[in-house]
Amino acid sequence: MKTKLKACCSIILALVIFLIPMNCNAANNYNTNEWTEMEKIELKEKYKQLFPEHYIDIILFEQEGIDTSITEPVVIYDGEKECNGTTYSLTVYDNRQILICIEESVIVI
């Protein structure tokens, strides 16, 4: 009788563990509206260092904006590089649009 009870409890516990959603939301600490001018300059310098061949695309985006005459933009570059535990990615489209993503590893204790 105890064996059946243990088996039943084990099955119920396993089902509970698998059925309860265990979501982990990534922290989003980067909000361009809250960046200081110094942080923006440092970020541009980091991208200039990591992606020197595509830094001109960042400058063109800032100076000229997105070319709205291109209705279906195509990715012309998509890459990522790591520096000191942080991954920086850059996606460049043929309409001068750029996307950047900064991913930091966080140790949770």
Side-chain angles (χ1 to χ4, degrees):
M1 183 70 176
K2 285 187 178 183
T3 309
K4 286 185 179 181
L5 182 60
K6 285 183 181 179
C8 186
C9 287
S10 296
I11 292 172
I12 291 173
L13 182 61
L15 286 173
V16 168
I17 290 172
F18 286 115
L19 294 177
I20 294 177
M22 294 182 195
N23 296 334
C24 177
N25 296 325
N28 184 1
N29 296 329
Y30 293 105
N31 184 338
T32 55
N33 295 331
E34 296 176 5
W35 286 353
T36 65
E37 286 304 312
M38 184 55 90
E39 289 172 324
K40 291 177 187 178
I41 291 168
E42 289 172 2
L43 184 62
K44 280 177 58 176
E45 285 300 315
K46 180 59 73 173
Y47 271 84
K48 184 177 185 178
Q49 172 191 0
L50 295 173
F51 302 95
E53 65 281 3
H54 293 284
Y55 185 69
I56 187 66
D57 297 314
I58 295 170
I59 299 301
L60 286 173
F61 170 74
E62 287 183 321
Q63 292 176 350
E64 299 179 18
I66 298 171
D67 182 357
T68 56
S69 68
I70 299 174
T71 57
E72 294 184 31
V74 175
V75 174
I76 57 174
Y77 176 77
D78 186 24
E80 63 181 34
K81 298 194 178 169
E82 188 173 334
C83 181
N84 299 328
T86 302
T87 303
Y88 297 86
S89 69
L90 174 66
T91 305
V92 180
Y93 292 87
D94 64 347
N95 66 348
R96 290 191 303 266
Q97 181 179 5
I98 62 166
L99 300 175
I100 64 169
C101 180
I102 303 149
E103 212 175 300
E104 292 180 318
S105 299
V106 178
I107 299 173
V108 179
I109 300 175

